[in-house]
């Protein structure tokens, strides 16, 4: 992810994340960072689970337990919601705080994360398996930028005065929704936390956040920073726990006013149902994808190959926006496949703390097995395995960079989200054909087109049913630009000014006046 | 200074500050903060000390029951004492580090070799000599600014978020050096040190932070135009901006000008007032320290008729922003018309009406009306210098206003009990006293004050006139001094008409508990800002500027960005169109 951002972090060394990071720009990591926080964060205090239960969090590089973490369930969600409700009460410090001061707190949080960047990157890599060079140069800087971006919005999220008919004075207030449940995934633990906290706190909500059970550690450390920089108690509560228990309790809670979920489409369905059967809480969802990446024959081939490789393999293929259907125009198809295989074979898989590593392990055994299952299905259904396809190490959850040629639209690997380092390359003849095939999916998160032709670029970008379209680039993100899905890829948008909408109730106030004047 | 306040503080822990903060940048909705308020770590605990100290000495308003200073108010005596230890004191014998012209991130002597003295208005004594910029220096600065603005430059290719980051760093540096800056500001402008620290410095820091946040949020739009086209707009910087700022709020006016211009990506040639160049030059050093590329901001101390005129007439300057007198504002606009039609924004004089209805909270109205005109020794463009009081409460209002004015403590800016320092210069002092004489000779009733103080500096006594009529000079012209005019009115229609009968239209206020009167008057006022039951409640989020001859354009708020942007419409032919 974040090509452009990577290139800005390391302008001289890396245009694409696929190339090696410069060791000079990145401090040598401590490969065994100490874990300071493993409890539930409620009311700015650390709590054991009410049940006393804990669960292990695993280092995916080795399959070994890092430590045990308190396991939140319904009773802990109850406590956290109470705290968040209390923090949101009329007259509370949080409700009476100047908006600019909310912004200042967010800004201080960004500063604290920046201060502890190396440690957080180490911990992220330990718990998630992503290469340290990426954690340090992509994830952390973007966390900091996202929080700073929303810090700036806090006192700029303006209502309007409205020239309503009649002798009335009418204005709107942008008010926070209230207690927001936020359930975040394991693929970008810190970044997804920032995407959720930034807009929710800028707009003045309080938060009960459940972090993914695979990657609870960095979020809990950030909790300590939230306290350190001075957020009032109860404004942010962070619970480590499982989806079916803690997550379900959040989705169905009668006193949670809004729930935001990032994760699988399957669970997204459950969240929206739970809202419907409980209190009709607002729901925003950022779900799966099977994003088409369309390469026209006039594209710069070298660039297209590299970008397409990056689009799929970045973050071990564990991106909701992964370009997992690479449509290549017929006249360059063979050349493109050949070069993509060469590139995949060159990909450095290994210890994520090694700065040369491009690809670490998958997040856990379940994902590891699921991906291997998809590779098997691809072979069975007649796609041509061009490289990879197997396990890449004796221990840990490493999978070889895998490329399939001759992939057909009806194959499982062309329809379902694999969330692993497995690239599908499909062939097309005409523009109309490829747009129709690209759109023939229940997903609509992202898409890309590579071409030098301005008309083709417009045609494709305007006709694809996807929340984000990249032209001659991929995974270019900025806190300023909205992100989210059409169709079953989600509901609502995160980031940008649009991201504030999802955390706002608009109140229209109308006052009778004796006489109106323009 | 500290020890003297401690005793008072401990004795009167329950008293609290209020109206100062309205002058200063607190959101009026904050009224009524209590001890449960959130901590504001950025404002530091010493604010609490200030809050109480101020109170005890009544040096800033104190009649209302509201507390509006940022930060919690500690009622626990131990906590209070602890916070008092942090009570800020001015830097003793502050060193003046920067007296040269700042071009291309370097300190330069004037081309002519000329220097000019800058004074301490509290004593009339010279502080130091400063390099005097003239046309040749303006040329150099414009060249630097143009280069910094050229396509492909570091500044032009910088991410907008990074521009914001630099502004944010600048705010942090101002915060770091705020005690020093407040000391110099007091020394050079005569305004009392504590309000300078808590009003001017906070306002400066908050303005820079506010616009820092906007840098990457200045959105163009994509537009559903007719036909087979894709149309979008880009908000581009205008280019080289000349900015000419006044002496009444030297630091804050610097921030008001720099914030939006830099957030939008312009480059700047800024001339501070010749009376108060020192803090602005120190900001120049912080701009360099923060990491702004050379040539992005250039600061030239000098005089209006020479350096200022050169800027207004310069063909290499794309926009000029001026804050100052209406008289000079006209010259600036004329000059722009004669030269390259540079964009002009003006923030000029005022004669702002402050309308007090009989149903208002009288204590509040008296105190706010007092602050509305006397704040900053009366040297505010927003000064509420025409106070219209409804007939039934007129006499009582005058009586209480006179009592309040007589209680005002005038003295050294570095005495923590001082509410009012000197006027900025001998010239201004004489001008104010001349206005007082005209009031007396035209038949207004001098209720108190009216004379220079028997001190070395440029002091004027707090002065109140009653029985003022609309045709008097003191009711029509901007005095810019501690002189309050109180008029009588009978009906709402009458007062609206009289209040609007002015060349100016900067601000206005109304005090009433009747929602219909409040809305009727606020709608009818020909003024860029209307305050209801408050005065001088300003904040970086809210636009500010004048109707009529009080100016052109708005500063602050989102709208403030518009004055530093050119909108470019880009339309691209497409083969097909789909919704």
């Amino acid at each position: 992810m974040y090509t452009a951002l990577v290139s800005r972090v390391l302008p001289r060394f890396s245009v694409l994340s696929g190339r090696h990071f410069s060791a000079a720009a990145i401090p040598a990591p401590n490969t065994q960072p100490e874990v300071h926080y493993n409890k539930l964060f409620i009311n700015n205090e650390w709590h054991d689970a009410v049940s006393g239960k804990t669960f292990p969090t695993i280092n995916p590089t080795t399959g070994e337990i890092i430590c045990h973490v308190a396991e939140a369930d319904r009773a802990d969600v109850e406590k956290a919601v109470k705290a968040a409700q209390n923090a949101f009460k009329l007259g509370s410090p949080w409700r009476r705080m100047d908006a600019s001061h909310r912004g200042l707190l967010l800004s201080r949080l960004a500063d604290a994360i920046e201060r502890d960047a190396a440690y957080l990157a180490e911990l992220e890599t330990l718990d998630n398996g992503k290469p340290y060079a990426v954690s340090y140069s992509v994830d952390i800087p973007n966390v900091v930028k996202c929080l700073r971006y929303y810090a700036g919005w806090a006192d700029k999220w303006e209502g309007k005065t409205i020239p309503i008919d009649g002798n009335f004075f009418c204005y709107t207030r942008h008010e926070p929704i209230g207690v927001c449940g936020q359930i975040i995934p394991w693929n970008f633990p810190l970044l997804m936390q920032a995407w959720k906290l930034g807009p929710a706190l800028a707009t003045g909500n309080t938060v009960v956040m459940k972090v993914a059970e695979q990657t609870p550690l960095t979020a809990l450390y950030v909790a300590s920073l939230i306290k350190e920089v001075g957020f009032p108690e109860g404004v942010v509560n962070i619970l480590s726990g499982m989806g079916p228990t803690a997550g379900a309790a959040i989705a169905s809670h009668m006193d949670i006013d809004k729930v935001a979920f990032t994760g699988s489409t399957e669970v997204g369905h459950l969240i929206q149902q739970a809202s419907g059967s409980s209190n009709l809480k607002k729901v925003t969802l950022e779900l799966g994808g099977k994003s088409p990446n369309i390469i026209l024959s006039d594209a710069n081939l070298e660039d297209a190959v590299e970008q397409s490789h990056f689009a799929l393999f970045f973050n071990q293929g564990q991106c909701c926006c992964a370009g997992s259907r690479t449509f290549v125009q017929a006249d360059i198809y063979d050349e493109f496949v050949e070069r993509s295989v060469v590139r995949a074979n060159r990909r450095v898989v290994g210890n994520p703390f090694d700065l040369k590593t491009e690809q670490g392990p998958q997040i856990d055994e379940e994902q590891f097995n699921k991906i291997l299952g998809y590779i098997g299905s691809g072979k069975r259904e007649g796609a041509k395995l061009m490289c990879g396809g197997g396990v890449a190490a004796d221990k840990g959850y490493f999978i070889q960079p895998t490329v399939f040629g001759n992939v057909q639209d009806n194959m499982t690997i062309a329809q379902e989200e694999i969330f692993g380092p497995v690239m599908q390359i499909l062939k097309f003849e005409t523009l109309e054909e490829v747009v129709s095939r690209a759109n023939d999916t229940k997903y609509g998160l992202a898409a890309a087109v590579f071409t030098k032709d301005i008309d083709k670029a417009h045609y494709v970008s305007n006709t694809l049913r996807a929340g984000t379209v990249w032209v001659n680039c991929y995974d270019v993100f900025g806190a300023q630009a909205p992100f989210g899905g059409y169709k079953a890829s989600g509901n609502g948008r995160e980031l940008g000014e649009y991201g504030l909408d999802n955390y706002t109730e608009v109140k229209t106030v109308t006052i009778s006046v004796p006489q109106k004047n323009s | 200074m500290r020890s003297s306040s401690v005793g008072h503080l401990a004795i009167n822990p329950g008293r609290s500050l209020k109206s100062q903060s309205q002058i200063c940048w607190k959101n009026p909705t904050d009224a009524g903060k209590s001890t449960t308020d959130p901590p504001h770590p950025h404002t530091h605990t010493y604010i609490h000390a200030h809050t109480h100290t101020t109170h005890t000495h009544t040096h800033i308003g104190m009649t209302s029951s509201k507390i509006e200073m940022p930060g919690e108010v500690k009622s626990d005596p131990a906590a209070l004492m602890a916070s008092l230890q942090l009570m800020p004191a001015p830097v003793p014998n502050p060193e003046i580090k920067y007296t040269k012209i700042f071009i291309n991130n370097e300190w330069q002597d004037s081309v002519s070799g000329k220097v000019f003295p800058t004074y301490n208005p509290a004593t009339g004594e010279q502080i130091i000599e400063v390099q005097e910029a003239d046309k040749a220096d303006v040329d150099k600065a414009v060249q630097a600014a143009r280069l910094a603005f050229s396509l492909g430059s570091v500044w032009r290719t910088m991410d907008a978020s990074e521009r914001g980051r630099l502004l944010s760093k600048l705010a942090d540096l101002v915060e770091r050096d705020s005690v020093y800056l407040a000391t110099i500001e007091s020394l050079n402008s005569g305004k009392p040190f504590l309000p300078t620290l808590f009003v001017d410095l906070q306002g400066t820091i908050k303005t820079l932070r506010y616009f820092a946040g906007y840098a990457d949020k200045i959105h163009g739009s994509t537009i559903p135009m007719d036909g087979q086209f894709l149309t979008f707009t880009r908000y581009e910087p205008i280019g080289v901006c000349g900015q000419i700022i006044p002496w009444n709020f030297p630091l804050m006016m610097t921030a008001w000008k720099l914030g939006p211009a830099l957030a939008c990506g312009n480059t700047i040639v800024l001339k501070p007032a010749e009376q108060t160049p020192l803090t602005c030059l120190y900001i120049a050093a912080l701009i360099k320290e923060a990491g702004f590329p050379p040539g992005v901001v250039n600061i030239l101390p000098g005089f209006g008729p020479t350096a200022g005129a050169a800027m207004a007439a310069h063909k290499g300057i794309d926009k000029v922003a001026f804050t100052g007198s209406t008289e000079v504002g006209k010259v600036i606009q004329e000059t722009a018309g004669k030269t390259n039609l540079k964009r002009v924004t003006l923030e000029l004089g005022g004669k702002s009406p402050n309308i007090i209805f009989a149903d208002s909270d009288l204590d509040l109205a008296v105190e706010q009306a007092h602050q509305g005109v006397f704040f900053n020794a009366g040297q505010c463009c927003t000064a509420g210098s025409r106070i219209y009081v409804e007939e039934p409460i007129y006499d009582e209002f005058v009586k209480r206003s006179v009592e309040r004015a007589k209680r005002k403590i005038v003295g050294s800016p570095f005495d923590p009990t001082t509410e009012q320092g000197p006027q900025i210069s001998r010239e201004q002092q004489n001008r104010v006293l001349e206005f007082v004489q005209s009031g007396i000779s035209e038949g207004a009733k001098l209720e108190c004050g009216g004379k220079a103080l028997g001190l070395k500096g440029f002091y004027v006594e707090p002065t109140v006139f009653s029985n003022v009529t609309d045709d008097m000079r003191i009711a029509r012209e901007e005095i810019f001094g501690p002189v309050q005019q109180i008029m009588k009115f009978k009906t709402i229609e009458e007062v609206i008409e009289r209040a609007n009968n002015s060349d100016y239209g900067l601000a206005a206020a109304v005090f009433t508990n009747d929602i219909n009167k409040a809305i009727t008057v606020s709608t009818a006022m020909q003024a860029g800002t209307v305050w209801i039951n408050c005065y001088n409640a300003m904040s970086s989020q809210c636009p500010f500027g004048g109707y009529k001859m009080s100016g052109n354009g708005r500063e602050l708020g989102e709208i403030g960005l518009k004055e530093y942007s050119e909108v470019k419409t880009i339309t691209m032919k497409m083969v097909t169109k789909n919704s």
Side-chain angles (χ1 to χ4, degrees):
Chain A
M1 219 188 256
Y2 302 110
T3 331
L5 299 168
V6 171
S7 71
R8 279 166 199 171
V9 174
L10 300 165
R12 271 171 295 172
F13 304 108
S14 170
V15 174
L16 299 175
S17 78
R19 301 193 183 139
H20 294 173
F21 293 94
S22 156
I26 299 170
N30 169 8
T31 58
Q32 290 174 316
E34 204 183 322
V35 176
H36 300 290
Y37 303 102
N38 63 352
K39 295 189 180 185
L40 310 179
F41 183 76
I42 299 174
N43 243 339
N44 283 5
E45 289 162 355
W46 299 101
H47 294 255
D48 288 319
V50 171
S51 67
K53 280 207 280 189
T54 63
F55 66 92
T57 184
I58 310 283
N59 175 354
T61 304
T62 60
E64 290 159 9
I65 293 174
I66 301 168
C67 67
H68 283 79
V69 179
E71 183 179 341
D73 199 343
R74 180 169 300 278
D76 309 285
V77 170
E78 204 59 55
K79 275 170 70 179
V81 170
K82 285 244 160 60
Q85 271 186 308
N86 201 43
F88 193 73
K89 266 213 280 248
L90 282 175
S92 73
W94 183 240
R95 292 298 296 280
R96 303 180 62 202
M97 187 180 285
D98 283 343
S100 68
H101 195 70
R102 291 201 303 267
L104 195 65
L105 290 179
L106 271 171
S107 178
R108 296 280 181 256
L109 180 59
D111 292 347
I113 289 173
E114 192 169 60
R115 178 196 67 197
D116 298 342
Y119 170 74
L120 275 165
E122 289 156 5
L123 198 59
E124 191 83 322
T125 291
L126 182 75
D127 206 10
N128 166 286
K130 61 174 65 194
Y132 174 77
V134 176
S135 307
Y136 185 81
S137 330
V138 180
D139 293 63
I140 306 283
N142 283 294
V143 166
V144 171
K145 284 188 172 198
C146 177
L147 294 173
R148 288 203 175 120
Y149 177 77
Y150 281 108
W153 268 124
D155 62 356
K156 300 172 184 70
W157 187 218
E158 300 176 348
K160 299 175 178 182
T161 61
I162 297 170
I164 187 178
D165 289 356
N167 283 326
F168 301 100
F169 165 53
C170 177
Y171 65 90
T172 56
R173 270 167 57 84
H174 286 182
E175 298 187 354
I177 295 177
V179 178
C180 298
Q182 302 186 317
I183 303 174
I184 62 171
W186 46 259
N187 57 343
F188 295 92
L190 279 167
L191 193 58
M192 293 302 104
Q193 185 184 36
W195 283 24
K196 292 280 182 287
L197 291 181
L201 298 176
T203 47
N205 295 276
T206 60
V207 170
V208 176
M209 172 178 280
K210 186 194 90 64
V211 299
E213 64 271 22
Q214 294 87 345
T215 54
L217 298 181
T218 48
L220 291 174
Y221 186 80
V222 168
S224 77
L225 301 181
I226 285 168
K227 179 176 179 176
E228 176 191 326
V229 302
F231 281 93
E233 3 183 277
V235 170
V236 180
N237 306 278
I238 297 185
L239 307 177
S240 40
M242 310 289 162
T245 52
I250 288 173
S252 62
H253 204 290
M254 294 300 287
D255 295 322
I256 289 184
D257 302 298
K258 182 238 162 70
V259 62
F261 170 75
T262 297
S264 72
T265 294
E266 181 193 352
V267 175
H269 279 286
L270 297 178
I271 302 265
Q272 190 142 339
Q273 279 176 57
S275 160
S277 59
S278 59
N279 62 344
L280 284 172
K281 55 178 67 66
K282 322 287 178 228
V283 179
T284 48
L285 303 170
E286 205 268 86
L287 308 174
K290 192 74 187 175
S291 298
N293 178 12
I294 299 172
I295 320 295
L296 303 187
S297 53
D298 72 346
N300 174 332
L301 193 59
E302 189 186 346
D303 185 46
V305 167
E306 182 60 33
Q307 293 281 343
S308 303
H309 173 83
F310 166 69
L312 184 282
F313 288 98
F314 179 64
N315 209 39
Q316 296 67 248
Q318 302 168 144
C319 296
C320 48
C321 54
S324 52
R325 290 184 295 150
T326 310
F327 288 99
V328 181
Q329 204 155 17
D331 37 352
I332 57 164
Y333 183 82
D334 292 342
E335 171 81 7
F336 186 94
V337 171
E338 191 186 312
R339 291 204 200 187
S340 293
V341 170
V342 170
R343 179 64 186 90
N345 279 329
R346 230 176 47 229
R347 189 165 187 82
V348 183
V349 182
N351 176 4
F353 281 108
D354 184 333
L355 295 184
K356 287 195 289 291
T357 294
E358 291 177 278
Q359 181 178 316
Q362 309 307 122
I363 189 68
D364 62 10
E365 193 170 359
E366 186 187 340
Q367 287 292 319
F368 174 80
N369 289 332
K370 191 174 157 205
I371 294 161
L372 292 174
Y374 274 118
I375 292 172
S377 92
K379 288 193 275 193
R380 272 197 313 279
E381 293 180 21
K384 185 170 173 200
L385 181 67
M386 305 296 292
C387 68
V391 174
D394 298 338
K395 64 172 184 176
Y397 311 123
F398 293 91
I399 291 180
Q400 293 172 338
T402 300
V403 177
F404 277 113
N406 295 341
V407 178
Q408 303 303 315
D409 291 359
N410 59 359
M411 294 176 182
T412 309
I413 57 170
Q415 294 193 335
E416 294 182 18
E417 188 172 36
I418 299 173
F419 233 61
V422 186
M423 183 179 197
Q424 290 63 239
I425 311 184
L426 305 88
K427 192 187 291 186
F428 75 92
E429 304 273 346
T430 72
L431 219 51
E432 291 69 23
E433 169 208 337
V434 76
V435 165
S436 146
R437 288 170 62 194
N439 282 337
D440 184 19
T441 168
K442 69 174 179 174
Y443 293 114
L445 193 57
V449 54
F450 286 80
T451 176
K452 290 178 189 149
D453 184 316
I454 193 169
D455 289 330
K456 290 178 184 162
H458 279 312
Y459 175 75
V460 175
S461 56
N462 289 354
T463 49
L464 287 174
R465 309 269 300 154
T468 292
V469 179
W470 289 293
V471 180
N472 294 331
C473 54
Y474 207 97
D475 274 348
V476 176
F477 280 76
Q480 302 90 356
F483 179 76
Y486 278 45
K487 301 192 274 186
S489 285
N491 235 320
R493 293 292 179 273
E494 297 190 271
L495 302 186
E497 184 177 3
Y498 296 92
L500 299 167
D501 284 329
N502 298 320
Y503 289 94
T504 305
E505 292 279 17
V506 177
K507 177 182 281 176
T508 305
V509 181
T510 303
I511 303 175
S512 173
V513 300
Q515 186 189 59
K516 174 167 86 172
N517 279 283
S518 60
Chain B
M1 152 182 171
R2 294 185 195 180
S3 53
S4 73
S5 337
V6 170
H8 288 288
L9 237 185
I11 291 162
N12 292 322
R15 303 193 68 174
S16 44
L17 204 238
K18 67 356 296 320
S19 53
Q20 178 207 6
S21 55
Q22 300 196 337
I23 293 152
C24 21
W25 302 80
K26 276 305 294 177
N27 188 322
T29 58
D30 274 355
K33 281 194 173 186
S34 73
T35 52
T36 59
D37 275 5
H40 288 60
H42 63 306
T43 50
H44 304 297
T45 30
Y46 52 53
I47 281 183
H48 315 321
H50 165 61
T51 298
H52 292 272
T53 310
T54 308
H55 236 304
T56 311
H57 300 291
T58 69
H59 105 226
I60 298 193
M62 40 169 308
T63 39
S64 116
S65 58
K66 296 172 192 161
I67 303 160
E68 296 181 11
M69 282 305 286
E72 60 196 308
V73 174
K74 293 181 174 157
S75 51
D76 163 28
L80 208 54
M81 291 302 289
S83 67
L84 248 190
Q85 304 307 311
L86 298 171
M87 164 99 166
V91 177
N93 305 313
E95 187 196 349
I96 308 292
K97 294 182 186 142
Y98 305 104
T99 58
K100 295 191 177 187
I101 296 170
F102 183 76
I103 296 175
N104 243 337
N105 281 6
E106 287 162 3
W107 297 101
Q108 313 202 348
D109 287 325
S110 64
V111 172
S112 67
K114 282 207 275 188
V115 296
F116 67 97
T118 186
Y119 297 98
N120 175 353
T123 61
E125 288 160 9
Q126 178 178 324
I127 300 170
I128 201 164
E129 288 184 324
V130 176
Q131 295 292 319
E132 180 181 338
D134 200 342
K135 186 170 185 319
D137 308 284
V138 171
D139 284 340
K140 275 170 71 180
V142 170
Q143 216 169 9
R146 286 242 76 91
L147 191 63
F149 192 74
S150 55
L151 280 174
S153 73
V154 180
W155 182 239
R156 291 298 294 279
T157 56
M158 184 182 284
D159 284 342
S161 67
E162 182 60 21
R163 291 202 303 267
R165 192 73 198 118
L166 291 177
L167 269 170
S168 177
K169 273 189 205 160
L170 179 58
D172 291 347
L173 296 177
V174 173
E175 191 168 53
R176 180 195 68 190
D177 297 343
S178 55
V179 171
Y180 172 80
L181 277 164
T183 305
I184 301 298
E185 190 86 324
S186 275
L187 185 71
N188 202 187
S189 77
K191 53 173 75 196
F193 170 74
L194 287 174
T196 303
L197 186 59
F198 294 112
V199 181
D200 297 66
L201 265 295
Q202 280 302 310
T204 300
I205 293 161
K206 286 190 168 193
T207 300
L208 294 173
R209 289 210 170 112
Y210 176 78
F211 284 109
Y214 251 127
D216 62 356
K217 300 174 183 70
I218 304 166
H219 296 152
S221 47
T222 61
I223 297 170
M225 83 173 286
D226 291 353
Q228 312 266 85
F229 302 101
L230 170 69
T231 293
F232 58 93
T233 54
R234 269 165 58 84
Y235 278 69
E236 299 185 356
I238 295 176
V240 177
C241 297
Q243 303 186 318
I244 303 174
I245 62 171
W247 46 260
N248 58 344
F249 296 92
L251 275 170
M252 214 148 70
M253 293 300 106
T254 302
W256 283 27
K257 291 282 182 286
L258 293 180
L262 295 175
C264 293
N266 296 277
T267 60
I268 290 172
V269 176
L270 184 148
K271 187 190 91 60
E274 65 271 19
Q275 293 87 345
T276 54
L278 298 181
T279 48
C280 192
L281 289 173
Y282 190 81
I283 294 286
L286 299 183
I287 283 168
K288 182 175 179 176
E289 183 182 346
F292 283 91
V296 170
V297 181
N298 305 278
I299 296 185
L300 285 69
F303 290 84
T306 52
M311 286 165 65
H314 207 292
K315 294 202 171 170
I317 290 183
D318 303 298
K319 182 236 161 78
V320 63
F322 170 75
T323 298
S325 72
T326 294
E327 183 192 350
V328 175
K330 290 165 107 173
V331 175
I332 303 260
Q333 186 139 336
E334 236 180 280
T335 309
K338 271 194 226 153
T339 55
N340 61 344
L341 286 171
K342 55 176 69 66
R343 285 94 189 84
V344 178
T345 49
L346 302 170
E347 204 267 88
L348 308 174
K351 192 74 188 175
S352 298
N354 183 3
I355 301 171
I356 320 288
F357 283 98
D359 68 2
S360 64
D361 171 344
L362 194 59
D363 280 345
L364 174 77
V366 168
E367 180 61 28
Q368 291 286 315
H370 174 84
Q371 296 295 345
V373 73
F374 287 100
F375 178 64
N376 209 39
Q379 303 168 137
C380 295
C381 48
T382 56
S385 52
R386 289 186 291 150
I387 302 180
Y388 290 97
V389 180
E390 202 170 6
E391 193 174 29
I393 59 164
Y394 184 82
D395 292 342
E396 179 68 14
F397 186 94
V398 170
K399 181 173 146 254
R400 294 202 198 184
S401 294
V402 171
E403 281 167 16
R404 178 66 187 90
K406 285 182 172 165
R407 254 193 359 253
K408 197 160 193 83
I409 301 173
V410 184
S412 161
F414 291 109
D415 181 334
T417 65
T418 293
E419 290 179 275
Q420 180 183 316
Q423 309 308 117
I424 189 69
S425 63
R426 179 73 66 201
E427 184 192 348
Q428 284 293 319
Q429 182 196 32
N430 289 337
R431 189 166 172 266
V432 173
L433 293 172
E434 194 270 322
F435 269 115
V436 170
Q437 283 314 307
S438 86
I440 296 168
S441 59
E442 292 184 27
K445 182 175 176 201
L446 180 68
E447 296 276 357
C448 66
K451 300 189 297 297
L453 251 116
L455 295 171
K456 266 200 297 182
F458 313 132
Y459 292 91
V460 174
E461 288 176 343
T463 301
V464 178
F465 279 112
S466 64
N467 295 342
V468 179
T469 54
D470 292 0
D471 56 333
M472 294 177 183
R473 273 186 66 209
I474 56 169
R476 307 201 62 83
E477 296 179 26
E478 188 172 35
I479 301 174
F480 233 59
V483 186
Q484 182 174 35
Q485 287 66 238
I486 311 183
M487 292 97 121
K488 193 185 291 183
F489 77 92
K490 289 187 180 165
T491 71
I492 187 168
E493 294 75 19
E494 169 209 337
V495 78
I496 286 171
E497 192 186 322
R498 289 171 62 195
N500 282 338
N501 184 20
S502 166
D503 288 340
Y504 294 111
L506 193 57
V510 53
F511 286 80
T512 176
N513 286 329
D514 181 326
I515 191 170
N516 288 334
K517 285 181 191 163
I519 288 177
T520 301
V521 172
S522 60
T523 303
M525 285 299 100
Q526 295 165 0
T529 293
V530 180
W531 289 294
I532 302 176
N533 294 332
C534 54
Y535 206 95
N536 274 346
M538 297 171 72
S539 162
S540 41
Q541 298 92 3
C542 304
F544 177 78
Y547 277 45
K548 300 191 277 186
M549 288 178 69
S550 285
N552 234 320
R554 293 292 179 274
E555 297 190 272
L556 304 184
E558 182 178 10
I559 204 169
L561 299 166
K562 200 180 116 231
E563 314 287 0
Y564 288 95
S565 305
E566 292 278 13
V567 178
K568 179 181 281 176
T569 304
I570 300 179
T571 299
M572 205 184 295
K573 179 80 181 136
M574 292 203 296
V575 179
T576 57
K577 177 165 87 168
N578 280 282
S579 62

